[in-house]
Amino acid sequence: MPTETSHDALVVGTGFAGLYALHLLKQLGLSVHAIDYASDVGGTWHWNRYPGARSDVESYVYRYSWDREHLQTSPWPNNYLTQPEIQAYFQDVSRRHDLYRHIQFRTDLREARWDAERGLWVVRVREDGKGEEEVFAVRYLVTAIGLLYKPNVPDLPGLESFQGQAIHSSKWTPEIEYKGKDIAVIGSGASGVQLVSSLAAHAKSLTNFIRHAQYVLPAALRSVDAAERRAINERYDEIWREVFTSAFGFGFHEPARPVFSVSAQDREAIFQSLWDQGSGFRFLFGGFSDIAVDEAANREAIKFIHGKIREIVKDRQKAAVLTSSDWFARRPLTDDSYYQRFNQENVFAVDLKKSPITAVTATGIETADGKSHPADLIVFATGFDAVDGSYSRVKIRGRGDKLLSEQWAEGPKTHTGASTSNFPNLLFINGPGAPFANNPPATEEGARFAADLVAHAEAIRKAGTGTGVIESTPESEDQWQQQIETIAAATLFSKTGSWFFGENVPGKKVAPRLYFGGLSRYRAALASIREEGYRGFSFGEF
C-alpha cells in the first residue's frame, strides 16, 4: 500500500483556473499541491499545439487581470496571441509567483474518494512512467480540469486499416509531417478552421469534412505598436472594470442597440465595420444587442455573412457546403484565411450531412456519394466531450460511494458552478454551470469564489464552530440549474446543436452546460451569496 501524503488542498489542472486557484490558496497559508497530466503549465494551451493554434480574444484581455505588472513589462507583438506565446505567458506567471515548486507534472488523477469519517478526500494519482500509484489525503479537492479536455473522436469504420497517420488536434506534435501530404481535416469548429487555414498552404491536397458549416469572421490580425500598448497600460483599471461589468468580458463595448433600431443602410454599415474590425465575438455581441436572442435579428447577421462567403469563395459548389443553414449561435469563430483557402484548386469541402463518411480505407476516406478522398494524414478536429465530459473519465466518489458520473447522468447540476451536493469539499472552477464569457475573467471569478469558500470553511473549523466541510444543497443546485435553463431557452444557442449542450457527443444527455446570463450577472449572483452568509452552502456548522 502506498503511503499517504497529506495537504490541505489539491488542485487538479494548471491552466487559467488551476494556476490562479493555486496562487490564491497559497495566499491563505494552506499547504497546497497541484497535479497535471501535462508536462508543463498551460492547460488546453499546452495540449493544442497544432499549426495555426491561436486565441481569438484580444491579447490584452486574454490574460489575468490581477497581474498588472506583467502586462506592462511583457509586451506582446500582435492583437491575438499564438499558442507558443500563451504557453510562455503561463510559464512566466508560474515563475513570477513561485508556483512551479507546488506542481507535479505528468501525473494523472485516477480516483478520488470521500472519507466521511476523516473528512478528507483520498486521491489516487499515477505519475507517468511509474508503476505504483501515489495517494494524497486532502481536505479540499479543487478541480480545474477545464472545459475542453477530453478529446471527442468519432468511431469510424475501417480506421484501424488506415496506413497513414490519424491524430486528434489536441494530440498534435511537432514531429508530424504535413507538407506535401494529402490531408483530411474532419470538423470545422475553432481548431478545424485554424488547421484548414494553416495546413492548406503546404498540403498536396486538403479536404475539410464538415458536419456543421460555420460562420467564420475575420480576425484582422495585426501588430500592436508601442503607442497602442502604452494607451492600454494607461487605461488598465478602466479596461478591466468594463470587462467585469460587461456581459461577456471580451474587452469591447456591448451596445444596447437592437438590429432593427437602425435603417437597413446603417445596419449594413455597422456589420461591415464589425467585419473589418475582426473577431467573431465582436460581430455577435459588439454591434447589436439582440443577435443571439432574436430570430429576425439573427437572420440579418446571417444574410451579411452569407454574402461575404459568396463574395470570397469563387466556386459555387464549395461555397454551398460552407454556407450554414443553422442559426448564428454557436461559439463564434475567427480566422483571416479560412474561406480564401477554398479558392485553391487543391482544397475541397465535403458536406457530411449529404455525404456521410462510410469508411476509412488504407489510403483515404470514402463517403456515401461513392467518392474516395485520398489522405496520408487525418486530423480529427472534432472537439471535445466538453465541460462535464472532462470529469466522466475519472472515478470521483462522494457520500455513500456515489460516483459523480452517476449523479450527473442526466446532465450536470451545480450551485453556481462551484460545487455539487453529496461531494463535500469538492470544488469546481470553470466547470458545469460556469458563465459563458471570456475565459480568463470567468475563471478568475470561479477561483476567487472557491478560495472564499475555503477561507470561510477554515475559519469555522479553526473556531471550533463546525467541521468546515463545504457542501451545496440540492435545492440550491436546482435553483441555479433552473436559471441556466431559463436563460438558455431565451437564446438561440438552445436552438443550435453544439458542445454547449453536449450535442456533439453521441448518447450524451442534451442539456445546457453553461450559464448564459453573462459575467456581470454571475458576479452579482456570487456577491449576493457571499453577503447572505454563503446561501445554499453548508459548512458542517455545529
Side-chain angles (χ1 to χ4, degrees):
M1 287 289 292
T3 304
E4 285 186 353
T5 301
S6 296
H7 293 283
D8 294 322
L10 179 68
V11 176
V12 184
T14 58
F16 273 115
L19 287 180
Y20 191 36
L22 176 58
H23 177 64
L24 291 173
L25 293 172
K26 272 182 56 188
Q27 291 184 323
L28 292 178
L30 300 180
S31 166
V32 57
H33 191 64
I35 61 169
D36 200 312
Y37 189 57
S39 61
D40 204 345
V41 294
T44 191
W45 292 107
H46 171 86
W47 296 110
N48 287 276
R49 298 163 175 255
Y50 58 82
R54 185 180 64 239
S55 168
D56 54 3
V57 178
E58 292 270 4
S59 54
Y60 67 96
V61 291
Y62 200 72
R63 56 178 56 238
Y64 292 123
S65 70
W66 51 271
D67 195 343
R68 177 175 185 154
E69 183 182 349
H70 189 279
L71 176 66
Q72 298 186 333
T73 58
S74 301
W76 65 98
N78 299 311
N79 58 334
Y80 295 103
L81 297 169
T82 63
Q83 181 274 332
E85 291 166 339
I86 297 170
Q87 179 141 36
Y89 169 74
F90 282 118
Q91 293 166 338
D92 198 20
V93 167
S94 300
R95 286 189 293 267
R96 283 165 53 83
H97 298 282
D98 192 27
L99 301 180
Y100 266 123
R101 67 187 177 94
H102 298 277
I103 305 171
Q104 182 175 330
F105 293 111
R106 298 185 177 88
T107 300
D108 191 26
L109 172 63
R110 306 300 292 270
E111 182 184 53
R113 187 185 299 268
W114 175 249
D115 185 330
E117 187 175 333
R118 292 194 291 167
L120 297 172
W121 281 98
V122 179
V123 183
R124 295 183 176 275
V125 306
R126 178 169 290 165
E127 190 170 348
D128 194 27
K130 294 185 179 180
E132 189 175 79
E133 290 183 338
E134 293 180 72
V135 178
F136 294 106
V138 297
R139 275 202 303 281
Y140 307 103
L141 179 57
V142 181
T143 58
I145 299 174
L147 296 174
L148 306 174
Y149 176 78
K150 183 181 178 183
N152 176 42
V153 179
D155 184 15
L156 298 180
L159 182 60
E160 70 283 353
S161 69
F162 182 57
Q163 293 180 357
Q165 185 170 11
I167 190 85
H168 189 274
S169 59
S170 67
K171 303 298 183 183
W172 188 280
T173 65
E175 293 75 33
I176 293 173
E177 296 183 6
Y178 59 90
K179 294 182 179 180
K181 302 288 187 181
D182 290 315
I183 302 172
V185 176
I186 302 177
S188 58
S191 57
V193 164
Q194 292 181 339
L195 278 160
V196 168
S197 182
S198 298
L199 298 182
H202 307 281
K204 178 182 178 183
S205 73
L206 186 147
T207 304
N208 190 194
F209 294 84
I210 299 169
R211 184 168 69 107
H212 291 298
Q214 301 279 2
Y215 299 94
V216 183
L217 285 303
L221 181 66
R222 58 177 176 77
S223 61
V224 175
D225 62 26
E228 182 179 355
R229 198 156 47 235
R230 185 165 55 252
I232 289 170
N233 288 343
E234 290 170 355
R235 293 185 58 244
Y236 187 87
D237 292 334
E238 180 185 351
I239 286 169
W240 283 107
R241 184 167 57 252
E242 291 173 355
V243 164
F244 283 111
T245 56
S246 67
F248 302 105
F250 291 107
F252 51 74
H253 177 60
E254 299 168 1
R257 172 180 57 202
V259 163
F260 293 103
S261 67
V262 300
S263 69
Q265 182 178 1
D266 289 340
R267 186 162 55 248
E268 186 79 5
I270 292 168
F271 280 141
Q272 185 62 52
S273 175
L274 294 169
W275 181 273
D276 294 340
Q277 290 177 72
S279 169
F281 291 111
R282 188 190 304 274
F283 197 93
L284 184 57
F285 301 120
F288 298 100
S289 60
D290 56 349
I291 291 177
V293 296
D294 183 87
E295 292 184 0
N298 198 272
R299 286 191 191 98
E300 291 297 304
I302 288 172
K303 183 171 67 175
F304 181 88
I305 299 171
H306 282 178
K308 289 294 185 182
I309 296 172
R310 289 191 298 271
E311 180 183 311
I312 295 168
V313 181
K314 306 306 179 185
D315 185 298
R316 294 300 92 191
Q317 187 175 357
K318 291 180 184 179
V321 176
L322 296 168
T323 300
S324 177
S325 59
D326 297 325
W327 295 111
F328 176 38
R330 291 190 179 90
R331 187 191 186 282
L333 305 182
T334 298
D335 193 87
D336 282 329
S337 305
Y338 178 70
Y339 291 130
Q340 288 82 349
R341 290 300 183 200
F342 291 92
N343 289 327
Q344 296 177 210
E345 292 184 359
N346 64 334
V347 177
F348 309 96
V350 175
D351 185 342
L352 290 179
K353 288 184 178 179
K354 293 181 178 179
S355 304
I357 294 172
T358 54
V360 178
T361 67
T363 57
I365 294 174
E366 294 180 349
T367 47
D369 56 4
K371 293 182 179 179
S372 181
H373 308 271
D376 305 307
L377 172 65
I378 298 175
V379 186
F380 290 102
T382 43
F384 300 84
D385 184 356
V387 194
D388 51 314
S390 301
Y391 293 86
S392 63
R393 70 179 192 88
V394 182
K395 292 181 179 178
I396 301 178
R397 299 182 181 273
R399 292 194 188 278
D401 213 34
K402 187 170 188 175
L403 279 168
L404 181 62
S405 58
E406 293 175 354
Q407 176 147 321
W408 285 355
E410 293 302 308
K413 281 187 180 181
T414 65
H415 183 23
T416 64
S419 70
T420 192
S421 57
N422 297 316
F423 291 81
N425 281 3
L426 172 64
L427 299 173
F428 311 112
I429 303 175
N430 208 30
F436 167 67
N438 182 15
N439 195 46
T443 56
E444 282 188 33
E445 286 305 312
R448 278 193 285 266
F449 190 66
D452 289 345
L453 287 170
V454 169
H456 190 69
E458 284 292 284
I460 288 173
R461 186 180 67 86
K462 290 176 181 178
T465 57
T467 60
V469 172
I470 307 164
E471 191 168 359
S472 56
T473 66
E475 294 77 16
S476 65
E477 294 165 11
D478 288 342
Q479 290 169 7
W480 187 246
Q481 186 63 24
Q482 184 59 53
Q483 284 196 56
I484 288 173
E485 292 177 3
T486 299
I487 294 170
T491 74
L492 296 176
F493 292 116
S494 65
K495 298 181 180 181
T496 313
S498 73
W499 63 263
F500 292 157
F501 295 81
E503 178 271 347
N504 63 316
V505 178
K508 189 171 182 177
K509 174 71 175 181
V510 176
R513 262 72 184 171
L514 300 174
Y515 172 72
F516 288 98
L519 180 60
S520 59
R521 287 173 67 181
Y522 182 71
R523 277 169 54 91
L526 297 186
S528 174
I529 290 168
R530 289 187 185 98
E531 291 165 4
E532 295 180 33
Y534 293 93
R535 181 185 72 250
F537 293 93
S538 64
F539 295 85
E541 295 92 340
F542 297 144

